[in-house]
Structures are given as C-alpha cells and as structure tokens.
Amino acid sequence: KGIVNYFLTNEELKNIFLIGPDKDGAMLEGSKDFAKKFMNKYNIPTAKHKSFQKENIKEAYEFLENLRPPYVIKADGLAAGKGVVIVDDINEAKNELNEMLLKSKFSEAGKTVVIEEFLKGIELSVFVLTDGNSYKILPEAKDYKRIGEGDTGLNTGGMGAVSPVLFADEKFMKIIEQKIIKPTIDGLKNEKIKYKGFIFFGLINVEGNPYVIEYNCRMGDPEAEVVIPRIKSDLLELFSNVACETLNKVELVFEEKAAATVMLVSKGYPGSYEKNKIISCLEKVAGSIVFHAGTKSNENNILTNGGRVISVTSMDKDIKSALKKSYINAEVIDFEGKYYRKDIGREFF
Ligand code: AMP
Ligand code: GLY
C-alpha cells in the first residue's frame, strides 16, 4: 500500500531511515501479473504463462487445454499464501478458474489469474539486499513448505529451512546473478522504481537452469532464521548503508558454518488449531537460538499464540550437525499438540 511513499511525503517522517521498496517496487510481490510482465520485459527466465480475467474465461479454458498437466493457476494478488493451485486434472483446473474468476474466491486478489507452465526441479531461495544502485547477495536457503514429511500434505508458511543449499555452488550462483539478479536490479532502475531493501527470489533449478517462481519484497520466514545468523557483518551497519545508498562501501562477510532451523507448530496447523497452550522447558535449551513466532506471555507463562509457534535454529560445521542440535532442542521444548517435521534437510546428507 506504499508505506514508504507515505513516510517520504510526510514532513515529520521523511528523515527516518527506511528500508523497503516504494509502492511500485512492492508490486513485484503484490501482483503476479506485474511481476511476470517485468520478467518478460527484462528477459528474466520464468515459466511460460498468460493472464486472464472474467471477460476472457473461455480463452483461459483454451489455454489450459493446450498445456500439459499439472496445471498451475495463481491468483494475481496476495491471498495469504493460498493463491497458488496446482492440479493434475483439467476439470479441477477449470473449476478453480471458475472459483477465482466467477465466484470471487480470493475477492480482488483473484480478479486476474495467471496460468503457467509447470516447472519440474528443486526450489531454492536467494536473497539480495539493495540500496537501489548496488546490491549484496546474502546466503541462499531452502525452505520446506509442506506440513508432512517427504513433502506431503498442505502448504504451510514453512516448516524449516537450511543454508547453504549444497547444489547452489559458485557456478550456479553466478548464473543466477547474471540471468536473474542483475537484470532485476537494472530493470527496477530502468522503470525508475526506487527499491531499497530485501528482494527474495523464489527460484527453481531445472537441470542447471534457474527460473523465477516468485518475487517477495522481504526476507522469508523461516528462511530469515537461517540466513541472518549466517551474516557476520554488522546488520545495523548494512541497513544504514542501504538507507544512505552507500551499500557499495561496505563488505558483506558470511559465517562459513551451516545453519538449520526446525519449526514447532500447533496441532492442526495449517488448518484450524488451538492456542494458549503452555510452553515449557525453554530454559533447558542449549546450543540453539529460539525464535518466537506465534507465542505470547502472561504473568506466569509463555503460551502458544499461532500456528507456527517457535523456530529452533542451530549452527555447526555442516547441515547434519546443525540439525542434530535443533532436533535435540525441538524435543526439549514442550507444549500440548507440538508437531514438527523430522526430515528437514534430509536430502543433503
Ligand atoms: P508462489 O506463491 O508463486 O511461490 O507458488 C507457491 C509454490 O507453488 C511454489 O513454492 C512452488 O512450489 C509451486 N509453484 C509455483 N509455480 C510453479 C511452477 N510454474 N511450476 C512448478 N511449481 C510451481
Ligand atoms: N517461507 C516462505 C515465505 O516467507 O514466503
């Protein structure tokens, strides 16, 4: 909604240091249609796609009929992480289109729908901090979105994350920089979009070729819980240099250790769940960082207050050792109905 523009045009607020995209820049996340048009214009690799509205739903059916399954259908706007549907059956796909375009399933957010080709590969997230001119590439991460082990069941906000991502070697990261990061930063400049802050590139590796699945104008959760601990440089200094547009003057130093995080969630999440369960044994945690997400406190206790409750991050020489620490502490922390995935990062060892 343009909070950055609001600050910058307010006499009393305009001198406060801000890190965030302006209203136009935020469209990279806020509108999938906008993001797709931007990627096309600047030759940034992404799945082939077309956008449709209610008026041309017949063309949308035809477009679907000419695609091979699975079918990927996305509400244009923000839909609390539920706006992407992937189905194998064409009738189900058409039904979903009807729901979004004719029955306003996601209200405004689903007025425009993007249909795109399905890409098969491994996902990873790459983060950039930019002051609008120069940029720094932060450590990459992989998150685990499904609720169930073996990547099964419903999508969640994220059940865990690891960093580094072992297949993202120097060569692959160079390709990402050349084909995706640089053209994005240059494209924003060319569009006269003032972008200061984080860009989250949701990528998919299709046989060595990276494609953009989505942009977010922020860090990810739980990606931040593994990326930020791997930054050795002073964050505040980095941020003030973003605000002052002097990011090219500072160095970004990474922690060589690996980081892993495991999310403890409430029973029932991502469906309905109960809150207000007492969380115990937090004081027994050793060797991990405990990030509170859906928690609150009353006079005596810390209580659950959300679906994703606590994320337990650890660092060590490799992902396996880091995970071992997180799993010990995930077991120690206790609340009624606690659930976590036991296979985070499993493919890396
Ligand atoms: P998004 O909200 O655009 O990130 O999509 C949510 C999830 O859907 C992604 O993290 C992917 O797992 C999956 N997805 C989205 N677009 C595609 C695509 N074109 N091909 C395959 N999977 C996709
Ligand atoms: N973990 C995905 C996100 O923050 O969007």
Side-chain angles (χ1 to χ4, degrees), residues 121-320:
I122 312 175
E123 289 179 51
L124 82 153
S125 310
V126 170
F127 307 89
V128 160
L129 186 62
T130 178
D131 62 1
N133 296 308
S134 66
Y135 61 86
K136 304 277 183 209
I137 303 177
L138 310 182
E140 73 287 351
K142 182 175 193 307
D143 83 336
Y144 294 80
K145 289 202 169 81
R146 303 293 198 91
I147 186 73
E149 282 164 22
D151 293 327
T152 52
L154 293 176
N155 255 327
T156 71
M159 295 297 293
V162 298
S163 176
V165 179
L166 297 183
F167 64 79
D169 55 15
E170 207 170 305
K171 187 172 155 225
F172 189 60
M173 290 302 288
K174 268 272 157 306
I175 300 176
I176 292 174
E177 180 168 14
Q178 286 312 319
K179 290 196 163 175
I180 294 171
I181 297 174
K182 245 185 129 294
T184 299
I185 303 287
D186 291 345
L188 289 169
K189 265 191 255 180
N190 197 51
E191 297 294 317
K192 308 243 174 327
I193 289 175
K194 194 84 193 145
Y195 200 113
K196 287 185 185 179
F198 292 102
I199 309 178
F200 169 145
F201 298 83
L203 306 178
I204 191 158
N205 173 6
V206 184
E207 289 162 8
N209 299 308
Y211 288 79
V212 177
I213 286 195
E214 63 162 348
Y215 288 111
N216 292 315
C217 300
R218 52 178 175 86
M219 282 299 299
D221 173 20
E223 290 93 333
E225 290 95 302
V226 291
V227 172
I228 304 286
R230 290 196 64 223
I231 298 174
K232 253 192 187 165
S233 315
D234 185 335
L235 262 192
L236 194 58
E237 192 187 337
L238 278 172
F239 288 171
S240 67
N241 281 286
V242 168
C244 299
E245 299 175 28
T246 48
L247 191 59
N248 60 347
K249 299 217 164 70
V250 286
E251 212 192 339
L252 179 65
V253 187
F254 293 178
E255 174 68 66
E256 285 305 319
K257 283 183 187 162
T261 200
V262 175
M263 191 64 80
L264 312 184
V265 308
S266 298
K267 184 180 170 191
Y269 173 81
S272 57
Y273 51 82
E274 287 177 25
K275 298 181 184 176
N276 298 313
K277 307 289 180 197
I278 294 174
I279 305 173
S280 58
C281 302
L282 282 166
E283 71 288 352
K284 294 190 184 144
V285 170
S288 294
I289 313 169
V290 173
F291 290 102
H292 287 245
T295 70
K296 66 176 179 189
S297 57
N298 64 14
E299 278 155 39
N300 307 312
N301 291 302
I302 310 268
L303 306 167
T304 67
N305 190 36
R308 293 191 297 161
V309 176
I310 276 175
S311 121
V312 185
T313 296
S314 314
M315 300 187 69
D316 212 312
K317 60 180 192 305
D318 55 27
I319 286 172
K320 185 177 180 179

Side-chain angles (χ1 to χ4, degrees), residues 32 47 74 84 86 116-119 123 145 213-214:
K32 293 195 189 281
K74 302 183 173 183
V84 177
I86 302 178
E116 64 180 52
E117 133 197 66
F118 181 83
L119 298 173
E123 289 179 51
K145 289 202 169 81
I213 286 195
E214 63 162 348

